[in-house]
Amino acid sequence: ASCRTMASKRYYLTTAIAYPNGAPHIGHAYEVIATDAIARFMRLDGYDVHFLTGTDEHGQKMVQTAAKAGLGARELADRNVALFRAMDEKLNISHDDFIRTTEERHHRSSKAIWERMKANGDVYLSKYEGWYSVRDEAFYAESETQLDQNGTRVSTKTGTPVEWVAEESWFFRLSAYQQKLLDLYERVPDFVLPKERLNEVASFVRGGLQDLSISRTTFDWGIPVPGDEKHIMYVWVDALTNYITGVGFPDTDSAMFQKYWPADLHVIGKDIVRFHAVYWPAFLMSAGVAVPRRVFSHGFLFNRGEKMSKSVGNVIDPIALADAYGVDQLRYFFLREVPFGQDGNYSHEAIVNRINADLANDLGNLAQRSLSMLGKAFKGVMPTPGAFSENDKTILAATDALVGKAREQMATQQIHQVLNAVWAVVADANRYFAGEAPWVLAKTDPVRQGTVLYVTAEVLRQVAILAQPVMPTACGKLLDILAVPADARDFSRLGGHERIAPGSQLPPPSPVFPRWIEPATE
Ligand code: ME8
């Protein structure tokens, strides 16, 4: 416990672990990009970050998909895991660990949490009879299902078909955790964000909790139940446990576990809030393990239905999107366009608009114009500024205030608000630059021209540092052409106590944010 308090600037965050029953889609890309931006933000802000992602490989859905493809579940997983890893690499994801639930460390960890829950008296043998959706890997009460137009019984919430299951099963005494969960939501009001998601969960829990079936006997692709190996664990028991496996569970005395658990943040989609905000804390309480600090539920992304660019091809494939528009451009688009926590749309037109308006025009042109003027008028040597005018002071003050605003927004994962604040300053800086007209000052007042270019470069420095979590490569390039040393790019360099160095020699500027030009159609 002492380790945990001493190393207070540590931060453990996770994505959901994806089912590798197919290739990664845009939702997977969105989640891992957003989580990566948060991880990079916290690292730049001085935190010792551990970022875990991975794949959820057991369960009936994997078995069924594999069978349809004429493969074994393991084989299907291996093929698709390679695609998830390739996507992470392509999208420049900075995870520290990639967990596969088929790994030995995870089997050990899942058996250990099971045994702890059992030792606590929360696991008992009985018979399950009820509805199960393989697509959702979820049990539903009859009242949560309905008949669709074809007479198929489906989950009301998700529309996926359910099947009747009647078999011997181990149960988890979830009913015993109703009050403890409600107490948790009250004690930690931001345990789930956005707030509305917590309200939904709390009202579900208030409605009463049934004990949960946590083992299956009709297939064997999963983790055997300790002491009763004809049962395998319900896939969600093992899946959720990945978050503690990733920091060394069951070795709770390990340096890793002591340092990083409880997790600061689980980033997940809105369809799996109940698993993370009800089952997961209940399992942990039962096992005597601390609960995570926060679950953030992001929204779903939808293709607006518009045809994407010809060069994009398959729009479902995030790698094709990154190839077409650029990795940093795609990351920026998702994180700026979609308020984090809400659903969003993507379309060719919307992506191109962000690339051209925000990146090429607003930020790219300002950098290109000011830095090429510095190249020509000052031989690329950063001028020493004269006394700052009121206009200079105003734009610098707005820039210096950004890091504080960014931290405040990031405290509740409002990534889009961080970008909104930064781009508001970029817009101010464009007005400043146009108003000061340094190209006119070239003839009338070169010292003043140098001051304007200096102030503009300082704004660009802070903007580029702050936008690194979202666009690591492009911002790195912008900081290169501003001659900002590699070890002076973290958030401790922001806020105005440090300024861009006069006298530094800038490399020749090259455009960082190219315009999107529609490819010619034949
Ligand atoms: O749910 N837009 O895996 P998964 C945004 N294995 N996010 C989306 C999305 C979309 N269109 N579609 C899916 C699972 N997601 C479990 C998780 S965690 C212990 C186990 C999100 O591959 C979804 O909400 O179906 C989830 O957070 C993640 O992608 C993986 O979904």
Side-chain angles (χ1 to χ4, degrees), residues 16-19 25 27-28 31 56 236 243 269 271-272 298-301:
I17 48 172
Y19 293 122
H25 55 62
H28 294 121
E31 182 172 297
D56 181 2
W236 271 101
Y243 301 131
D271 56 328
I272 54 175
H298 62 72
F300 265 44
L301 284 190

Side-chain angles (χ1 to χ4, degrees), residues 54-128:
T55 42
D56 181 2
E57 306 187 13
H58 297 127
Q60 215 171 349
K61 176 155 68 181
M62 284 297 290
V63 174
Q64 286 190 357
T65 316
K68 276 185 209 131
L71 300 171
R74 176 70 205 218
E75 212 178 339
L76 178 70
D78 286 347
R79 285 187 189 190
N80 287 318
V81 167
L83 303 181
F84 277 89
R85 287 188 191 276
M87 175 185 75
D88 290 347
E89 187 162 340
K90 174 80 193 180
L91 298 176
N92 206 0
I93 304 306
S94 65
H95 53 286
D96 298 288
D97 193 2
F98 187 106
I99 189 168
R100 299 184 58 174
T101 55
T102 43
E103 287 167 347
E104 199 271 332
R105 60 170 169 163
H106 183 65
H107 280 235
R108 197 165 5 104
S109 166
S110 300
K111 287 175 183 164
I113 195 174
W114 182 287
E115 278 171 336
R116 280 178 173 236
M117 297 190 299
K118 187 151 188 240
N120 198 41
D122 288 327
V123 175
Y124 64 91
L125 191 61
S126 182
K127 189 178 178 198
Y128 180 76

Side-chain angles (χ1 to χ4, degrees), residues 257-297:
F257 194 86
Q258 287 286 319
K259 182 170 174 188
Y260 288 117
W261 193 259
D264 294 276
L265 181 66
H266 295 316
V267 177
I268 58 158
K270 64 176 186 179
D271 56 328
I272 54 175
V273 173
R274 190 182 292 184
F275 300 95
H276 284 80
V278 181
Y279 303 167
W280 181 225
F283 295 163
L284 289 169
M285 287 176 194
S286 173
V289 177
V291 300
R293 296 205 158 94
R294 178 170 302 162
V295 172
F296 192 99
S297 156

Side-chain angles (χ1 to χ4, degrees), residues 105-303:
R105 60 170 169 163
H106 183 65
H107 280 235
R108 197 165 5 104
S109 166
S110 300
K111 287 175 183 164
I113 195 174
W114 182 287
E115 278 171 336
R116 280 178 173 236
M117 297 190 299
K118 187 151 188 240
N120 198 41
D122 288 327
V123 175
Y124 64 91
L125 191 61
S126 182
K127 189 178 178 198
Y128 180 76
E129 274 188 277
W131 297 105
Y132 190 76
S133 160
V134 174
R135 286 248 298 277
D136 299 342
E137 297 283 18
F139 299 96
Y140 290 111
E142 180 133 332
S143 58
E144 295 176 296
T145 68
Q146 63 186 41
L147 294 174
D148 71 5
Q149 14 357 355
N150 311 318
T152 310
R153 188 163 288 279
V154 297
S155 154
T156 307
K157 195 166 147 226
T158 63
T160 62
V162 293
E163 57 186 49
W164 185 254
V165 171
E167 62 188 7
E168 183 186 81
S169 175
W170 289 91
F171 279 77
F172 175 74
R173 221 178 284 286
L174 187 62
S175 57
Y177 287 86
Q178 179 171 359
Q179 195 51 50
K180 291 186 178 107
L181 288 166
L182 292 171
D183 292 345
L184 167 66
Y185 307 152
E186 193 143 324
R187 194 171 69 247
V188 189
D190 51 8
F191 178 66
V192 179
L193 287 180
K195 190 86 193 170
E196 310 84 79
R197 298 283 101 81
L198 181 65
N199 295 341
E200 287 161 16
V201 159
S203 79
F204 168 74
V205 172
R206 254 183 258 115
L209 293 175
Q210 304 287 312
D211 288 352
L212 182 68
S213 165
I214 53 166
S215 77
R216 303 292 306 274
T217 55
T218 43
F219 61 98
D220 65 359
W221 178 239
I223 300 179
V225 168
D228 189 4
E229 312 221 322
K230 67 178 186 298
H231 286 255
I232 56 150
M233 293 181 197
Y234 171 40
V235 63
W236 271 101
V237 173
D238 117 50
L240 290 160
T241 300
N242 94 85
Y243 301 131
I244 50 176
T245 307
V247 289
F249 190 81
D251 187 356
T252 53
D253 291 330
S254 64
M256 191 74 174
F257 194 86
Q258 287 286 319
K259 182 170 174 188
Y260 288 117
W261 193 259
D264 294 276
L265 181 66
H266 295 316
V267 177
I268 58 158
K270 64 176 186 179
D271 56 328
I272 54 175
V273 173
R274 190 182 292 184
F275 300 95
H276 284 80
V278 181
Y279 303 167
W280 181 225
F283 295 163
L284 289 169
M285 287 176 194
S286 173
V289 177
V291 300
R293 296 205 158 94
R294 178 170 302 162
V295 172
F296 192 99
S297 156
H298 62 72
F300 265 44
L301 284 190
F302 303 101
N303 182 340

